Amino acid sequence: NEPIDVSLAGIAAGQTLRRIWQGKLILIHHRTPEEIVAARTGDHSTLVDPQSDSERVAPDYPQWLVVQGYCPHAGCVPNTRPGGQGWICPCHGSEFDTSGRVTRGPATTNLAVPEFAFHPDGLTVRIG
Ligand code: FES
């Protein structure tokens, strides 16, 4: 269960990095300021799987969303939606917001967040 260190250098806002950790796809998405605002606006308590954005991202690095790359419905890999509108699953259309929280089924839970921690320089994240 070795952790992996992932360099975040050169990943522009709006881009998503893919890495494999323990045989699982991890998506590391650099959120734009607008995506962060979208994730933090509105009443998360009304969501199907209620979680605040701050429960899902590191407090000092809210621009980085780190999630497992599998739709909770049946395991397809979600895609980013154009224009920073979160994520959509290509298999049955589940939608997730810019925090990876489900906003439309059939999925009923959010994209899972793996264990992760940022190095103090903020340029590397350790997964695991
Ligand atoms: Fe994603 Fe079914 S696997 S909606």
Side-chain angles (χ1 to χ4, degrees), residues 71 73-76 89 91-94 106:
C71 176
H73 177 234
C76 294
C89 180
C91 289
H92 316 101
S94 288

Side-chain angles (χ1 to χ4, degrees), residues 10-116:
I11 306 170
Q15 291 188 328
T16 306
L17 188 67
R18 295 170 171 231
R19 283 290 179 275
I20 301 295
W21 173 65
Q22 293 192 350
K24 288 182 181 169
L25 177 65
I26 304 292
L27 304 174
I28 303 170
H29 180 74
H30 189 173
R31 302 194 295 187
T32 64
E34 293 76 18
E35 289 177 75
I36 298 170
V37 168
R40 298 189 164 204
T41 304
D43 182 5
H44 65 263
S45 69
T46 62
L47 295 171
V48 173
D49 183 7
Q51 270 187 318
S52 67
D53 186 62
S54 58
E55 291 175 74
R56 298 176 52 79
V57 301
D60 292 337
Y61 303 100
Q63 67 271 45
W64 295 106
L65 178 71
V66 183
V67 291
Q68 293 189 12
Y70 305 100
C71 176
H73 177 234
C76 294
V77 178
N79 297 316
T80 51
R81 298 176 71 193
Q85 300 295 306
W87 306 80
I88 186 163
C89 180
C91 289
H92 316 101
S94 288
E95 294 179 9
F96 306 87
D97 68 8
T98 58
S99 191
R101 296 170 298 201
V102 63
T103 55
R104 176 192 165 117
T108 56
T109 58
N110 302 334
L111 298 180
V113 176
E115 291 288 317
F116 69 91

Side-chain angles (χ1 to χ4, degrees), residues 4-6 8 58 61 66 114-120 124-128:
I4 55 169
D5 290 330
V6 180
L8 303 172
Y61 303 100
V66 183
E115 291 288 317
F116 69 91
F118 283 85
H119 286 221
T124 307
V125 62
R126 175 163 289 185
I127 310 292

